[in-house]
C-alpha cells in the first residue's frame, strides 16, 4: 500500500517535544510519511532559559530545488510556526510548486492566551491573512482567530455565540475548512469548533480545562487533522479524534509529574492513535 507524503514546513526544536519532533512521529502513526522542510533548528523550544538556534531560511529554496531535480512530489503540505515574513514567501513558493492539486493545511501559529509568541507581531498577522487564502484547511487557536479577524482578544472574557460565528464566517472567506481551538466557554471549560463549507457541517467539541501548561499540543492536534484530511475522514470526526487524543495525552502528562518543559508524553499512546485512525478510515470507505 502506498504511503502518502506530506511536506511539513516547521522548525525543529531538538529538546522539549515540540514542532517537528512531535509532528513526524504523530503523522507516521497516522500512516503518513512527513518530509520536513525546517524553518529553523533550535537546541530546544523557546520556553527554556537558554536556546541556541540556526535560521534555516537561506537553505529552504535550495532544498526544494534538489527535490525538484530528484523528482520528489508530495500529497499534502502542512506549515506551522514561521519566524519571519520571508518564510511566509517560502511557503507560498512551496504551494506554487507542489500544492496545485493537493491539500494544503496552514496552522497560523503566532499567538496564544491573548498575546503574541516571541518574535511575532501585527506584521505577521497581515502576512498570515494572505497565506491562509492558499489553504484548504486552517487551524488557528482562539487568540490567532481573533488576531486574524482583527477583533479584540481578552483571555478573561467568554466569547458569545455571535463572536464565534463571526470568527468562523471571517475565516471561512479565506478557506473551505476551518477549525478554531481552545475557545473559552465557561468556568474551566473550553471547546474546539469546526466548519466545513463544502458540506455545511459545523461541529463543537467541549472539554475540561486541565491546569497544566506544556508544549507541542497544537502541533500534535494539527498533525492529526492533516492526516485526516489526506485520508478523507470528515473534518468534524477528525477534530473529535484529535481532541480526545490530546486530552488523554495531557491528562497522562500531568499525572506523570514531569517538567512542563519536556512537553507531552505521547509516545506510548501512538499505537492507540493508529488504531483509531484505521477505524475511522474503514468507517468512511
Amino acid at each position: 500500500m502506498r504511503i502518502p507524503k506530506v511536506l511539513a514546513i516547521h522548525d525543529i526544536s531538538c529538546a522539549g517535544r515540540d514542532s517537528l519532533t512531535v509532528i513526524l512521529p504523530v503523522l507516521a502513526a497516522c500512516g503518513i510519511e512527513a518530509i520536513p522542510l525546517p524553518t529553523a533548528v533550535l537546541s530546544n523550544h523557546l520556553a527554556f532559559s537558554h536556546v541556541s538556534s540556526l535560521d534555516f531560511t537561506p537553505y529552504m529554496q535550495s532544498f526544494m530545488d534538489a527535490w525538484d531535480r530528484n523528482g520528489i512530489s508530495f500529497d499534502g503540505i502542512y506549515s506551522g510556526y514561521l519566524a519571519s515574513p520571508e518564510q511566509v514567501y517560502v511557503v507560498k513558493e512551496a504551494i506554487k510548486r507542489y500544492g496545485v492539486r493537493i491539500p494544503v493545511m496552514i496552522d497560523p501559529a503566532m499567538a496564544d492566551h491573548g498575546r503574541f509568541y516571541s518574535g511575532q507581531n501585527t506584521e505577521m498577522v497581515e502576512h498570515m491573512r494572505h497565506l491562509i487564502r492558499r489553504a484548504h484547511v486552517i487551524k488557528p487557536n482562539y487568540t490567532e482567530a481573533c488576531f486574524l479577524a482583527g477583533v479584540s482578544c481578552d483571555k478573561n472574557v467568554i466569547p458569545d455565540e455571535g463572536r464565534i460565528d463571526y470568527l468562523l464566517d471571517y475565516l471561512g472567506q479565506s478557506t473551505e475548512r476551518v477549525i478554531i481551538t481552545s475557545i473559552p466557554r465557561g468556568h474551566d471549560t473550553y471547546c474546539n469548533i469546526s466548519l466545513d463549507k463544502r458540506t455545511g457541517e459545523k461541529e463543537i467539541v467541549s472539554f475540561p480545562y486541565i491546569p497544566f501548561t506544556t508544549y507541542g499540543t497544537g502541533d500534535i492536534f494539527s498533525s492529526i487533522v492533516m492526516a485526516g484530511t489526506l485520508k478523507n475522514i470528515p473534518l468534524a470526526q477528525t477534530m473529535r479524534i484529535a481532541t480526545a487524543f490530546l486530552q488523554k495525552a495531557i491528562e497522562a502528562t500531568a499525572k506523570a509529574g514531569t517538567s512542563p518543559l519536556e512537553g507531552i508524553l505521547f509516545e506510548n499512546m501512538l499505537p492507540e492513535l493508529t488504531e483509531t485512525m484505521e477505524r475511522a478510515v474503514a468507517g468512511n470507505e
Side-chain angles (χ1 to χ4, degrees), residues 86-253:
E86 186 177 358
Q87 292 187 346
V88 174
Y89 294 125
V90 175
V91 175
K92 289 181 178 179
E93 172 64 21
I95 294 171
K96 181 179 178 181
R97 293 196 194 200
Y98 311 115
V100 177
R101 295 181 179 87
I102 62 175
V104 175
M105 178 174 171
I106 305 294
D107 181 352
M110 302 178 292
D112 202 1
H113 304 297
R115 62 182 184 273
F116 285 110
Y117 295 144
S118 175
Q120 302 292 308
N121 52 41
T122 55
E123 180 186 6
M124 184 59 84
V125 172
E126 188 60 33
H127 283 281
M128 277 294 178
R129 286 190 183 123
H130 290 281
L131 182 60
I132 62 175
R133 294 173 188 167
R134 305 184 184 215
H136 300 92
V137 187
I138 62 172
K139 194 237 71 174
N141 61 35
Y142 176 65
T143 297
E144 292 157 351
C146 290
F147 286 0
L148 287 167
V151 299
S152 62
C153 181
D154 186 338
K155 65 179 182 179
N156 297 314
V157 175
I158 306 301
D160 58 22
E161 296 301 324
R163 162 67 69 95
I164 295 172
D165 286 341
Y166 175 80
L167 294 176
L168 284 173
D169 290 343
Y170 179 89
L171 295 171
Q173 296 173 24
S174 298
T175 187
E176 59 190 12
R177 282 166 278 180
V178 179
I179 294 177
I180 304 175
T181 60
S182 302
I183 304 172
R185 298 305 291 148
H187 180 65
D188 292 337
T189 302
Y190 285 76
C191 78
N192 300 326
I193 186 167
S194 66
L195 173 65
D196 191 334
K197 290 175 59 181
R198 302 169 306 165
T199 62
E201 184 178 19
K202 178 181 173 181
E203 178 85 1
I204 299 174
V205 178
S206 297
F207 55 93
Y209 170 70
I210 300 173
F212 179 79
T213 300
T214 189
Y215 304 89
T217 54
D219 297 319
I220 292 173
F221 190 102
S222 295
S223 297
I224 297 172
V225 173
M226 180 76 253
T229 300
L230 282 178
K231 291 179 173 291
N232 296 314
I233 302 172
L235 185 67
Q237 184 179 3
T238 304
M239 180 182 69
R240 291 194 297 270
I241 292 170
T243 302
F245 178 83
L246 198 56
Q247 192 72 6
K248 188 172 181 179
I250 293 172
E251 289 173 355
T253 305

